[in-house]
Amino acid sequence: MTFKRILLARRRLDPLVLMTAVATVILLFAVGKAGFIAFAACGFYLVLVRHRVCRHLPPLYSALLLTYVIWAIALSLGRGEPVQGNRQLGYALVELSAFFIPVGLCLVRRPVDAMVIGARMALPTLLVASVLQVLLLKGERLDLGENAAILAFLVAGAAVMARIDAARPPRFLPNGRWWAYLAIAPILLTQTRGAWIVFLPIVAIDLWAIFRGDQPSRRMAVLTAGLAGLVAASFVAYPLVADRVSRAVEEMERFNATGSASGSVDVRLTFWNASLQIVAEHPLTGVGAMSRMERVAEFSGPNAERVMQFQHLHNLFLDEMLSNGLVGLALLLAIFAAFAVSCVRFGSRNLVANAAVFVFLVFSFGAFHGVLLNEWMIILVFGFMGIVLTSLRRTELALTGRRLGPSS
């Protein structure tokens, strides 16, 4: 097979691979990881042998991402932390692989379409899993064999992805805001409070779009259907939400009375307070991911033993400050800022709105969970940004009259 025929075959195959990778990452299948690794490896190879393909890389975002990864790795190695068993190095390498994804997607003509379709394929599957969960495993958290919080974040991310307008969607997977609402049941059944918040901006955007419309009858029909769905979801969700809220209140009352952290809310408050004291002592570089919980335990008094049962601080900002310091946090925030700027400059109104919701999801969920301390979530976050920026970079270069080659 000639090189040209290989490229032609890849142009038909790569979109299907990307679509499958997105869908299976959301469903927590390992083949999804393999798909993203394949695109990253392809991008790495092309950067080495064909330097011109670096034009595919969004400049500011890529520079910031590479700087952030180098900073994290340099700090870890500079502290003398062992390579074996060093999760922080592993996460940094996953983020480094995301650097090459825009180049690896060079043969995918419409990468955003592939991502969106993959998310839309995953959501009905998750909805079926939720129905089976209610019927067969009453009271159990939906987790698909992994941590329920990880699944909740992936489903919430899929809900945002599926709302993005595809340029050429299949007839059976049409564009529509309603895709996000298929995620309500799966997210509620994970019983992960941090993921529920994503529906606040989603509902606000959709209500604004409904009332801004020019067809009152259609507006009323959509509003009625939405209210009916909300009532149905509330009926299913109320016992779960009420139970989680009551348990949180009980934890805080017990903590205030005894000073002993025994739940999930009170222990978070304990090590968040301790973390701020450590940040004040080591603001620029932190103390390192491998020793942060030990240091936090030292500042947690009688709750030290309970704190040591956790592997991270369940807060994106504090985890980052203790691992890589304020410098690391600033670089991380700058990466998301560069992504947002590119979306605003070159994205459609629909893409900008949903990209904003996605960033909101990352930081709102990250306020209560280690959103960038798990490879599934890292792949989803940086995969989403990489895919979107790949498309926007092509738009940018098209506007300036520069040519990207076969993928443009």
Side-chain angles (χ1 to χ4, degrees):
M1 182 178 288
T2 66
F3 182 71
K4 185 175 181 180
R5 287 186 177 181
I6 292 175
L7 289 180
L8 290 173
R10 284 275 310 275
R11 289 201 64 162
R12 291 189 291 267
L13 179 63
D14 281 16
L16 297 176
V17 173
L18 180 59
M19 186 191 315
T20 303
V22 171
T24 49
V25 161
I26 294 165
L27 296 172
L28 291 168
F29 292 151
V31 67
K33 293 182 182 179
F36 277 98
I37 291 172
F39 282 114
C42 179
F44 177 72
Y45 170 77
L46 288 173
V47 167
L48 289 180
V49 300
R50 297 185 63 185
H51 303 303
R52 292 182 62 188
V53 299
C54 290
R55 290 178 297 170
H56 288 270
L57 294 171
L60 181 59
Y61 169 86
S62 300
L64 288 168
L65 176 57
L66 186 60
T67 303
Y68 170 73
V69 170
I70 292 174
W71 173 259
I73 293 175
L75 280 182
S76 180
L77 297 179
R79 293 188 180 104
E81 295 176 349
V83 175
Q84 187 173 2
N86 191 329
R87 293 189 176 186
Q88 195 68 22
L89 283 180
Y91 299 146
L93 291 176
V94 174
E95 292 157 357
L96 178 60
S97 68
F99 173 87
F100 299 100
I101 285 179
V103 177
L105 294 175
C106 62
L107 294 176
V108 180
R109 184 177 293 273
R110 289 180 292 275
V112 170
D113 279 23
M115 177 188 72
V116 169
I117 293 167
R120 292 175 185 174
M121 291 170 59
L123 286 175
T125 305
L126 290 162
L127 190 59
V128 170
S130 301
V131 173
L132 295 176
Q133 169 84 5
V134 172
L135 295 177
L136 303 177
L137 300 172
K138 296 180 179 179
E140 296 290 331
R141 298 178 73 179
L142 181 66
D143 57 15
L144 298 186
E146 279 280 350
N147 185 292
I150 295 173
L151 177 62
F153 179 79
L154 298 180
V155 178
V160 179
M161 290 178 184
R163 291 166 53 85
I164 298 174
D165 288 342
R168 297 182 184 178
R171 289 186 178 180
F172 59 94
L173 295 171
N175 292 331
R177 297 185 181 92
W178 55 270
W179 282 101
Y181 298 98
L182 296 182
I184 291 177
I187 290 176
L188 288 174
L189 289 173
T190 64
Q191 301 182 32
T192 304
R193 290 164 294 207
W196 301 345
I197 305 173
V198 72
F199 287 102
L200 294 178
I202 287 176
V203 171
I205 291 171
D206 290 350
L207 287 176
W208 171 253
I210 291 171
F211 286 108
R212 193 186 57 184
D214 298 325
Q215 301 177 0
S217 59
R218 182 173 179 270
R219 186 165 64 220
M220 185 57 64
V222 173
L223 183 60
T224 302
L227 288 174
L230 184 61
V231 170
S234 300
F235 179 77
V236 175
Y238 177 76
L240 299 173
V241 176
D243 177 64
R244 298 291 285 179
V245 171
S246 64
R247 277 192 279 173
V249 172
E250 289 175 5
E251 288 176 15
M252 291 308 303
E253 290 176 347
R254 185 170 55 250
F255 179 69
N256 290 332
T258 65
S260 176
S262 57
S264 62
V265 176
D266 50 7
V267 74
R268 279 177 167 85
L269 292 177
T270 298
F271 52 55
W272 288 350
N273 180 63
S275 299
L276 292 174
Q277 299 177 54
I278 299 172
V279 169
E281 294 184 359
H282 306 274
L284 294 181
T285 60
V287 295
M290 298 195 74
S291 60
R292 67 179 168 224
M293 295 312 296
E294 294 179 2
R295 296 298 307 275
V296 169
E298 294 174 5
F299 286 80
S300 300
N303 295 305
E305 185 176 350
R306 172 65 173 154
V307 167
M308 285 301 296
Q309 295 175 7
F310 290 79
Q311 295 180 344
H312 55 85
L313 299 168
H314 288 257
N315 183 283
L316 168 65
F317 307 98
L318 292 174
D319 273 314
E320 187 62 35
M321 284 190 288
L322 261 66
S323 298
N324 300 316
L326 289 172
V327 174
L329 179 62
L331 288 170
L332 182 63
L333 295 177
I335 290 170
F336 284 92
F339 169 72
V341 168
S342 293
C343 289
V344 171
R345 289 184 62 193
F346 303 107
S348 65
R349 181 180 298 177
N350 172 269
L351 178 61
V352 171
N354 287 298
V357 174
F358 189 86
V359 173
F360 171 83
L361 168 65
V362 172
F363 290 115
S364 62
F365 190 88
F368 304 98
H369 299 276
V371 71
L372 296 181
L373 295 176
N374 175 271
E375 62 272 16
W376 291 107
M377 294 191 280
I378 293 173
I379 289 172
L380 189 80
V381 171
F382 287 96
F384 173 84
M385 292 196 292
I387 291 168
V388 170
L389 289 173
T390 299
S391 180
L392 296 180
R393 177 62 174 164
R394 295 173 187 175
T395 301
E396 177 185 3
L397 293 178
L399 291 174
T400 61
R402 295 173 62 187
R403 182 176 171 80
L404 267 176
S407 63
S408 57

